[in-house]
Amino acid sequence: MTNWLTSGLSVFGKKQRPDPNTVTKKRSPRASGFSEDALRGLEDLDARMPPPGTEVKSAFAPSYKHTERLSKKASAGGGLVIDAEGNKVPHYWGHRERLRNRFLAGGHKPMPEYEVLELLLFNAIPRIDVKPLAKRLLATFGDLNGVIAASEHRLLKVEGATPWVYYHLRLAEAFAQRMGQAKILEREVVTSWDELITYCRTAMAHRETEQFRILFLDRKNVLIADEEQAKGTVDHVPVYPREVAKRALELNASAIILVHNHPSGDTSPSRPDIEMTEAVTTACQAIGVTIHDHVIIGKDSEFSFKTNGLFAAFA
């Protein structure tokens, strides 16, 4: 029988293997058409080949993570649908354009929060279905306000969220705050108090840590500046009365309003809140600056020191 290694391509191409019980006679390299090096290479290859019928697996696991993109779970219950031409396509094909048209035609009010969030995510994540991510973000942070105010650390823990998503959320927050600020700057506070509180809630209510702001007023109680004085932890923010008084002098302010938030949602003033307000009041009175109020902002309500008579205790 002719040796399968030296029988030419017609036999080698059929993947035939020699019978180990059959003794074959090797041809010389010249007779077989192969050089000695080639024959040794073929013999080495044959030694490395697995036995016939053996299941061969890759020595390295794939680096990607396989997900069933069109399963009901992964695609928020959509799967495949039939398009106008009878082709099976992912349910979200054309979804972005349809959602944009609905928004332009009817505005955002009739749309659920997850669809409004989808419109924003379209700019951050191209070409894939972002509805599942929008719903995960809302489930994690409670509502649209919570998503917009989420810290980068917590946001990036949500599956599918990226630094580009975080950037677009910060940009949306900046627009909201600028628009709210424009309604109260250079306006008399008494006549725009509700808008002032709305702005403060937009800027602070859903923060995960405490933030202390100061609103500076001129002699006519017109808002001339709104500044963040300090940031703190989940239940404390450091405030330095001398720095507050110094900044009021720099801006030539005649009065100020103190504002800070309680991330817990409970707007009841703590003992440190009361002591800090008294210290700031004393420092400002020494330079002729009046404190009109100290407002604590919560997610659903606010607390006014003035309305609740706490300033009387500092007199």
Side-chain angles (χ1 to χ4, degrees):
M1 180 181 292
T2 303
N3 189 317
W4 75 282
L5 290 173
T6 59
S7 60
L9 295 178
S10 62
V11 176
F12 184 77
K14 294 179 180 179
K15 306 293 184 182
Q16 295 182 357
R17 306 194 61 169
D19 185 348
N21 297 320
T22 303
V23 179
T24 60
K25 182 180 179 180
K26 295 184 178 179
R27 293 184 179 182
S28 67
R30 179 175 297 179
S32 64
F34 293 99
S35 67
E36 289 184 0
D37 289 341
L39 287 174
R40 282 195 296 270
L42 290 173
E43 290 174 350
D44 182 64
L45 175 63
D46 181 57
R48 294 172 181 270
M49 292 291 289
T54 302
E55 182 181 356
V56 180
K57 295 183 179 180
S58 173
F60 303 96
S63 59
Y64 62 88
K65 179 181 178 182
H66 176 73
T67 57
E68 297 180 4
R69 293 279 302 278
L70 299 180
S71 69
K72 290 185 176 181
K73 181 178 180 181
S75 59
L80 294 173
V81 297
I82 307 299
D83 66 8
E85 299 178 356
N87 301 314
K88 290 184 177 180
V89 297
H91 77 284
Y92 50 80
W93 280 21
H95 172 67
R96 295 189 174 206
E97 188 64 25
R98 292 191 298 269
L99 201 57
R100 291 189 187 102
N101 290 336
R102 281 177 48 205
F103 171 74
L104 292 173
H108 70 91
K109 290 185 178 180
M111 302 175 69
E113 281 195 329
Y114 75 86
E115 289 188 339
V116 177
L117 185 54
E118 276 189 85
L119 290 168
L120 181 63
L121 294 176
F122 288 165
N123 298 317
I125 302 178
R127 294 186 297 278
I128 69 170
D129 182 16
V130 296
K131 183 185 296 183
L133 174 58
K135 291 186 175 181
R136 283 195 294 270
L137 289 171
L138 290 169
T140 301
F141 299 107
D143 58 16
L144 197 56
N145 289 317
V147 174
I148 295 295
S151 67
E152 183 177 14
H153 174 70
R154 289 196 61 200
L155 182 80
L156 295 182
K157 286 186 175 181
V158 178
E159 181 184 357
T162 66
W164 201 234
V165 170
Y166 176 74
Y167 162 76
H168 280 82
L169 292 174
R170 293 286 70 74
L171 186 60
E173 181 187 39
F175 273 100
Q177 291 192 16
R178 288 292 183 94
M179 292 175 67
Q181 194 177 64
K183 293 180 179 180
I184 60 173
L185 278 177
E186 299 183 0
R187 293 187 59 182
E188 204 276 323
V189 169
V190 174
T191 59
S192 56
W193 184 257
D194 289 342
E195 291 178 339
L196 179 68
I197 296 300
T198 298
Y199 163 69
C200 290
R201 292 185 64 185
T202 300
M204 307 171 67
H206 295 271
R207 294 289 176 186
E208 297 173 352
T209 57
E210 286 198 11
Q211 181 187 70
F212 185 79
R213 306 179 78 93
I214 305 177
L215 309 180
F216 297 92
L217 314 176
D218 66 9
R219 294 181 181 278
K220 296 182 179 180
N221 287 331
V222 172
L223 185 65
I224 57 177
D226 161 35
E227 297 183 354
E228 179 182 330
Q229 184 74 8
K231 293 181 180 179
T233 63
V234 294
D235 58 0
H236 174 71
V237 59
V239 178
Y240 304 100
R242 291 179 59 184
E243 293 299 321
V244 176
K246 178 182 176 182
R247 186 58 178 155
L249 286 174
E250 291 174 348
L251 294 173
N252 197 29
S254 297
I256 62 174
I257 298 174
L258 308 178
V259 187
H260 84 281
N261 64 310
H262 278 182
S264 66
D266 180 7
T267 57
S268 302
S270 64
R271 173 52 55 183
D273 289 340
I274 296 173
E275 292 174 352
M276 177 271 291
T277 305
E278 183 175 10
V280 173
T281 300
T282 301
C284 288
Q285 285 177 343
I287 59 173
V289 174
T290 303
I291 297 186
H292 279 330
D293 205 345
H294 181 181
V295 182
I296 300 176
I297 300 293
K299 293 180 180 179
D300 302 310
S301 61
E302 59 278 340
F303 180 92
S304 166
F305 274 56
K306 183 177 182 180
T307 301
N308 287 275
L310 292 184
F311 277 122
F314 306 151

